PDB file of all heavy atoms in Angstrom:
ATOM      1  N   ARG A 197      21.661  62.018 -23.630  1.00 98.00           N
ATOM      2  CA  ARG A 197      22.146  63.208 -22.909  1.00 98.00           C
ATOM      3  C   ARG A 197      22.905  62.811 -21.646  1.00 98.00           C
ATOM      4  O   ARG A 197      23.329  63.646 -20.868  1.00 98.00           O
ATOM      5  CB  ARG A 197      20.975  64.120 -22.522  1.00 98.00           C
ATOM      6  CG  ARG A 197      20.146  64.605 -23.674  1.00 98.00           C
ATOM      7  CD  ARG A 197      19.166  65.674 -23.224  1.00 98.00           C
ATOM      8  NE  ARG A 197      18.183  65.182 -22.295  1.00 98.00           N
ATOM      9  CZ  ARG A 197      18.055  65.574 -21.029  1.00 98.00           C
ATOM     10  NH1 ARG A 197      18.865  66.479 -20.533  1.00 98.00           N
ATOM     11  NH2 ARG A 197      17.109  65.071 -20.261  1.00 98.00           N
ATOM     12  N   HIS A 384      14.973  59.189 -17.305  1.00 97.00           N
ATOM     13  CA  HIS A 384      13.767  59.611 -18.013  1.00 97.00           C
ATOM     14  C   HIS A 384      13.288  58.442 -18.848  1.00 97.00           C
ATOM     15  O   HIS A 384      13.088  58.544 -20.048  1.00 97.00           O
ATOM     16  CB  HIS A 384      14.065  60.795 -18.936  1.00 97.00           C
ATOM     17  CG  HIS A 384      14.617  61.984 -18.214  1.00 97.00           C
ATOM     18  ND1 HIS A 384      13.889  62.677 -17.259  1.00 97.00           N
ATOM     19  CD2 HIS A 384      15.809  62.609 -18.281  1.00 97.00           C
ATOM     20  CE1 HIS A 384      14.615  63.675 -16.790  1.00 97.00           C
ATOM     21  NE2 HIS A 384      15.778  63.662 -17.378  1.00 97.00           N
ATOM     22  N   GLU A 452      10.343  67.127 -20.524  1.00 98.00           N
ATOM     23  CA  GLU A 452      10.788  68.331 -21.237  1.00 98.00           C
ATOM     24  C   GLU A 452      10.836  68.109 -22.735  1.00 98.00           C
ATOM     25  O   GLU A 452      11.782  68.531 -23.411  1.00 98.00           O
ATOM     26  CB  GLU A 452      12.159  68.772 -20.727  1.00 98.00           C
ATOM     27  CG  GLU A 452      12.158  69.123 -19.265  1.00 98.00           C
ATOM     28  CD  GLU A 452      13.460  69.743 -18.776  1.00 98.00           C
ATOM     29  OE1 GLU A 452      14.433  69.804 -19.542  1.00 98.00           O
ATOM     30  OE2 GLU A 452      13.489  70.153 -17.608  1.00 98.00           O
ATOM     31  N   GLU A 528      10.409  67.951 -11.399  1.00 98.00           N
ATOM     32  CA  GLU A 528      11.877  67.981 -11.332  1.00 98.00           C
ATOM     33  C   GLU A 528      12.249  69.296 -10.670  1.00 98.00           C
ATOM     34  O   GLU A 528      11.806  70.352 -11.107  1.00 98.00           O
ATOM     35  CB  GLU A 528      12.450  67.880 -12.745  1.00 98.00           C
ATOM     36  CG  GLU A 528      13.936  67.654 -12.758  1.00 98.00           C
ATOM     37  CD  GLU A 528      14.432  67.340 -14.175  1.00 98.00           C
ATOM     38  OE1 GLU A 528      13.828  66.511 -14.878  1.00 98.00           O
ATOM     39  OE2 GLU A 528      15.433  67.957 -14.556  1.00 98.00           O
ATOM     40  N   SER A 531      17.939  71.781  -9.158  1.00 97.00           N
ATOM     41  CA  SER A 531      19.232  71.344  -9.701  1.00 97.00           C
ATOM     42  C   SER A 531      20.341  72.147  -9.030  1.00 97.00           C
ATOM     43  O   SER A 531      20.752  73.198  -9.493  1.00 97.00           O
ATOM     44  CB  SER A 531      19.279  71.603 -11.208  1.00 97.00           C
ATOM     45  OG  SER A 531      18.833  70.492 -11.926  1.00 97.00           O
ATOM     46  N   TRP A 566      18.437  77.660 -14.952  1.00 95.00           N
ATOM     47  CA  TRP A 566      17.069  77.221 -15.193  1.00 95.00           C
ATOM     48  C   TRP A 566      16.433  76.719 -13.902  1.00 95.00           C
ATOM     49  O   TRP A 566      15.275  76.335 -13.871  1.00 95.00           O
ATOM     50  CB  TRP A 566      17.064  76.081 -16.222  1.00 95.00           C
ATOM     51  CG  TRP A 566      17.887  74.915 -15.758  1.00 95.00           C
ATOM     52  CD1 TRP A 566      17.444  73.810 -15.107  1.00 95.00           C
ATOM     53  CD2 TRP A 566      19.307  74.782 -15.849  1.00 95.00           C
ATOM     54  NE1 TRP A 566      18.499  72.997 -14.782  1.00 95.00           N
ATOM     55  CE2 TRP A 566      19.654  73.581 -15.233  1.00 95.00           C
ATOM     56  CE3 TRP A 566      20.332  75.589 -16.386  1.00 95.00           C
ATOM     57  CZ2 TRP A 566      20.988  73.142 -15.143  1.00 95.00           C
ATOM     58  CZ3 TRP A 566      21.649  75.149 -16.300  1.00 95.00           C
ATOM     59  CH2 TRP A 566      21.954  73.932 -15.685  1.00 95.00           C
ATOM     60  N   GLU A 597      26.573  64.009 -18.049  1.00 98.00           N
ATOM     61  CA  GLU A 597      25.958  65.304 -17.740  1.00 98.00           C
ATOM     62  C   GLU A 597      26.658  66.065 -16.604  1.00 98.00           C
ATOM     63  O   GLU A 597      26.041  66.374 -15.576  1.00 98.00           O
ATOM     64  CB  GLU A 597      24.473  65.128 -17.432  1.00 98.00           C
ATOM     65  CG  GLU A 597      23.723  66.337 -17.932  1.00 98.00           C
ATOM     66  CD  GLU A 597      22.217  66.343 -17.651  1.00 98.00           C
ATOM     67  OE1 GLU A 597      21.758  65.632 -16.764  1.00 98.00           O
ATOM     68  OE2 GLU A 597      21.530  67.081 -18.364  1.00 98.00           O
TER      69      GLU A 597
HETATM   70  C1  LIG B 917      16.499  69.001 -16.815  1.00 54.79           C
HETATM   71  C2  LIG B 917      16.438  67.632 -17.464  1.00 54.79           C
HETATM   72  C3  LIG B 917      17.325  66.645 -16.758  1.00 54.79           C
HETATM   73  C4  LIG B 917      18.660  67.238 -16.491  1.00 54.79           C
HETATM   74  C5  LIG B 917      18.477  68.457 -15.648  1.00 54.79           C
HETATM   75  C6  LIG B 917      19.754  69.130 -15.240  1.00 54.79           C
HETATM   76  O1  LIG B 917      16.181  69.984 -17.696  1.00 54.79           O
HETATM   77  O2  LIG B 917      15.140  67.143 -17.450  1.00 54.79           O
HETATM   78  O3  LIG B 917      17.471  65.491 -17.538  1.00 54.79           O
HETATM   79  O4  LIG B 917      19.244  67.544 -17.697  1.00 54.79           O
HETATM   80  O5  LIG B 917      17.726  69.402 -16.387  1.00 54.79           O
HETATM   81  O6  LIG B 917      19.485  70.270 -14.476  1.00 54.79           O
END
Side-chain angles (χ1 to χ4, degrees):
R197 302 189 295 116
H384 302 296
E452 299 188 354
E528 190 171 313
S531 269
W566 59 95
E597 214 182 20

